[in-house]
Each structure stands twice: as C-alpha cells, then as structure tokens.
Amino acid sequence: MARPRKPLLSTDRIVGTARALVDAEGLAAVSTRRLAAELGVSGPSLYNHFRTKDEILEAVADSVSALVDLSMFEDGRDWRTALHDWAVSYRAALRDHPNIVPVLARGPGRRPAALRLADAVYGAMVEAGWPPAQATSIGALMRYFIMGSALGSFAGGFVDDASAYDPADYPHLGQAHLLAEQQEKVDERAFEAGLTALLDGLALQYEQVRTGA
C-alpha cells in the first residue's frame, strides 16, 4: 500500500499556519523551529520560501490586509460612504487578528496588499477632489484611528468586580464593572461614534476645498 503523501509545503500554507499561531499565542510564538514542527517539515525547508522570521510575519500581516474590502472605492460610492465602509471592513479584519496589529502599524513597506490598500484610499480621495496633500493626510488619520481601535478593547479594560470602583475614590465609575460584559456593544458603539465625528469633520473641510474657502 502506498504511503500517504505529506501535504506539499507552500507559501500559503506557511503563512496560514503562522497566522494561526499569531492569533492563538501572539507574535512571540512564531519561530522557524515552531513553524516547522506545526507543518511537519524540517526547519531548513522553510528557507525555500522565507529567509527570516520577520519575512514570515510581514507575509502574515499582508494576508490580513488582503482581507479588507476595497470594492467601495470602485463601485461609485461617494468618498464619505466609501471611507466609512472601508473603515468598518478594515477594523473587522484587525479585530479578528489583533495580535498582528503591531506589525501592520509599521506601515505598508513592500507588502503588496497593504500597498494596494493605500493606493485605493489615496486614489479615491484625489479622484473625489481632495488635494493630494490632504488625501495623504486622510489616509494617515484613518489608519491611526482604525489601528488604535484595534490595539485593545476599551470596555474590556475594566474588571467586572464592583469592589474595584470604590465610590469614595471613583465617584463616577459606579457602573464600570458592567462594561466588560457589554464589551462588543460598547466598543462597536464607540468606534462608530468616533468614525462619524471624524467623517463629519472631513466633510466640513471638503466643503472648504470645493468652495475655495
């Protein structure tokens, strides 16, 4: 009887396994030795696809960038709606893979999906009438806001123990112990409120741009 063949080692398989490790255990869990063990291969075989651990993490980061929907910049949505919908999609991708955010926060570097993302946002803003310098600033501020929201949960940062919030010390935090159990709702509401405020401010600037004020 023929022996079962091992699955062929591929870039996609390495990246998928590394992403699962990062999701489950964080960036420190990724090493060539650990990846080789997870993949059932010898360590040196990984070097046929990636030269270093950093290259693997860059590829994992780019695989997450590739999850972000960019169709809103191509299907006729106005710039504000497109930015809103893109921000929601971007945050969803980061929320599902929060441990890779520190790598993404370094900027796109040479990562293809990240560069396509930056190109789509910048191109759509310029096409909508934003001056190039302001279009660049919009891309930057949106990235600050979205990545900041993905670095940690506001609501999840409060313990669910009412005794931690002695009214003598914290007279306004009497309900803070309830935040953790409402984490998703609180964080989603905060993100949407911040995104709306940000877009409202940009809309005012856009009117100034269009009228030459």
Side-chain angles (χ1 to χ4, degrees), residues 24-47:
E25 302 179 34
L27 295 172
V30 178
S31 68
T32 53
R33 178 178 296 180
R34 177 73 184 278
L35 271 177
E38 294 285 336
L39 291 162
V41 299
S42 63
S45 63
L46 296 177
Y47 296 117

Side-chain angles (χ1 to χ4, degrees), residues 84 88 91 145 187-199:
H84 175 276
V88 170
R91 180 172 178 265
F145 176 70
D187 290 347
E188 290 287 344
R189 190 168 59 227
F191 178 78
E192 191 63 39
L195 181 57
T196 298
L198 189 156
L199 294 174

Side-chain angles (χ1 to χ4, degrees), residues 136-149:
T136 299
S137 296
I138 289 170
L141 71 89
M142 293 296 289
R143 191 168 73 90
Y144 298 152
F145 176 70
I146 297 165
M147 287 198 177
S149 75

Side-chain angles (χ1 to χ4, degrees), residues 68-69 72-73 82-90 117 121 142:
V68 182
D69 184 13
M72 64 285 297
F73 298 118
L83 275 184
H84 175 276
D85 296 348
W86 167 70
V88 170
S89 177
Y90 199 173
L117 187 155
V121 175
M142 293 296 289

Side-chain angles (χ1 to χ4, degrees), residues 16-165:
T17 301
R19 186 172 60 221
L21 274 177
V22 172
D23 288 345
E25 302 179 34
L27 295 172
V30 178
S31 68
T32 53
R33 178 178 296 180
R34 177 73 184 278
L35 271 177
E38 294 285 336
L39 291 162
V41 299
S42 63
S45 63
L46 296 177
Y47 296 117
N48 294 323
H49 300 270
F50 296 100
R51 291 175 297 178
T52 64
K53 168 186 170 178
D54 284 344
E55 283 191 1
I56 295 171
L57 291 177
E58 287 287 309
V60 171
D62 212 38
S63 73
V64 173
S65 293
L67 300 174
V68 182
D69 184 13
L70 299 177
S71 65
M72 64 285 297
F73 298 118
E74 303 169 352
D75 62 10
R77 275 173 262 191
D78 65 90
W79 70 266
R80 175 177 175 145
T81 302
L83 275 184
H84 175 276
D85 296 348
W86 167 70
V88 170
S89 177
Y90 199 173
R91 180 172 178 265
L94 300 188
R95 184 188 58 215
D96 291 342
H97 305 281
N99 291 336
I100 199 64
V101 172
V103 179
L104 287 164
R106 299 172 191 166
R110 297 177 181 272
R111 299 193 299 269
L115 288 170
R116 284 193 293 271
L117 187 155
D119 182 73
V121 175
Y122 176 79
M125 295 306 102
V126 170
E127 187 174 338
W130 286 96
Q134 286 179 272
T136 299
S137 296
I138 289 170
L141 71 89
M142 293 296 289
R143 191 168 73 90
Y144 298 152
F145 176 70
I146 297 165
M147 287 198 177
S149 75
L151 285 174
S153 164
F154 172 79
F158 292 85
V159 299
D160 60 358
D161 179 3
S163 68
Y165 309 102

